[in-house]
Amino acid sequence: KNQVEQSPQSLIILEGKNCTLQCNYTVSPFSNLRWYKQDTGRGPVSLTIMTFSENTKSNRRYTATLDADTKQSSLHITASQLSDSASYICVVDFSGGYQKVTFGTGTKLQVIP
Amino acid sequence: DVKVTQSSRYLVKRTGEKVFLECVQDMDHENMFWYRQDPGLGLRLIYFSYDVKMKEKGDIPEGYSVSREKKERFSLILESASTNQTSMYLCASSLFFGDSSYNEQFFGPGTRLTVL
């Protein structure tokens, strides 16, 4: 069964610090991997997307990496801000048509002053 | 910008009631999806539609039905609401059907449904 596991489940960091969120997947075959940010009470919004041939992608203070050999991805947040407090969801697309995707359960990040 | 709207942000219904959740997208997207999101379980696909009047079951279709009479509108129907259907419901849309590396799903703000 295709699975996407994220760690940690939750994280608290001080404003201004960096952090890294992890995503391991067993999805096969693999098409692309996205990271979404979901603010409390809102729908997810895409941060980055990477195909299997890409190994890093940046979006402002967010940098996603992908190792397709080990089936691992990480999302690094630099110089965290209070507005980074949200859930971060890893989503893996497998190249099977119908745009079937598998969602991770997310990491809940809280940035405190 | 793509806009996906959902008819209600919060909804409270009683057990046995028929519930309609509406979703509208304004970017002429082919695909539309309904998910539910529960703590610790992530997003789970209920139904999706890749064209008007077409629908496909997702991973957890039991207790739900859908309707897509117009391209921009996708409705989720709970025929007889039960307490275990209390959840956050998210609608999404994407541009076209098929395997595309950049076929991003755009989500609505969600409807938090409570069934008493």
Side-chain angles (χ1 to χ4, degrees):
Chain A
K1 182 182 175 182
N2 291 318
Q3 284 188 311
V4 178
E5 295 182 350
Q6 292 187 242
S7 62
Q9 282 191 326
S10 61
L11 184 62
I12 300 174
I13 63 171
L14 289 173
E15 186 179 11
K17 298 295 186 183
N18 303 335
C19 68
T20 301
L21 314 180
Q22 300 289 345
C23 173
N24 296 340
Y25 62 92
T26 61
V27 174
S28 180
F30 169 85
S31 175
N32 61 72
L33 184 147
R34 295 183 179 89
W35 283 92
Y36 280 86
K37 179 187 180 189
Q38 184 176 21
D39 292 315
T40 301
R42 296 195 172 274
V45 175
S46 178
L47 288 175
T48 67
I49 177 172
M50 291 178 290
T51 65
F52 63 89
S53 60
E54 295 175 299
N55 55 24
T56 188
K57 188 69 74 76
S58 291
N59 178 0
R60 294 173 294 172
R61 293 179 297 101
Y62 302 101
T63 300
T65 64
L66 174 65
D67 185 335
D69 292 331
T70 61
K71 294 189 167 68
Q72 295 179 326
S73 176
S74 63
L75 181 69
H76 185 74
I77 304 175
T78 304
S80 61
Q81 300 176 358
L82 298 178
S83 59
D84 293 330
S85 295
S87 289
Y88 292 85
I89 303 171
C90 175
V91 183
V92 182
D93 229 320
F94 50 99
S95 51
Y98 287 95
Q99 213 206 343
K100 287 275 284 191
V101 297
T102 303
F103 289 83
T105 54
T107 292
K108 190 173 178 68
L109 173 66
Q110 186 178 356
V111 181
I112 59 176
Chain B
D1 276 353
V2 174
K3 197 165 185 183
V4 180
T5 57
Q6 295 183 227
S7 51
S8 305
R9 293 298 304 274
Y10 301 93
L11 209 51
V12 180
K13 296 290 182 182
R14 296 205 176 273
T15 302
E17 278 192 81
K18 190 169 186 175
V19 182
F20 292 87
L21 302 182
E22 302 284 337
C23 175
V24 177
Q25 51 94 4
D26 67 357
M27 284 300 289
D28 204 33
H29 282 178
E30 302 288 339
N31 301 334
M32 296 189 76
F33 307 81
W34 273 107
Y35 295 92
R36 64 177 283 177
Q37 184 177 32
D38 301 287
L41 296 178
L43 276 81
R44 292 179 292 166
L45 181 65
I46 304 171
Y47 268 96
F48 68 99
S49 168
Y50 52 88
D51 201 352
V52 174
K53 296 191 187 295
M54 305 303 287
K55 59 186 179 185
E56 292 284 341
K57 291 180 180 179
D59 299 319
I60 51 163
E62 296 79 21
Y64 303 95
S65 62
V66 290
S67 172
R68 194 167 181 200
E69 296 296 320
K70 294 185 177 181
K71 191 175 185 180
E72 67 271 18
R73 189 178 298 268
F74 193 34
S75 303
L76 180 69
I77 303 150
L78 287 67
E79 294 290 340
S80 177
S82 62
T83 55
N84 63 13
Q85 292 178 309
T86 291
S87 185
M88 169 73 100
Y89 289 87
L90 289 161
C91 174
S93 72
S94 67
L95 183 58
F96 54 82
F97 165 79
D99 175 25
S100 167
S101 295
Y102 290 88
N103 200 356
E104 176 184 348
Q105 291 189 26
F106 295 86
F107 286 86
T111 295
R112 185 162 294 282
L113 172 68
T114 302
V115 182
L116 302 175

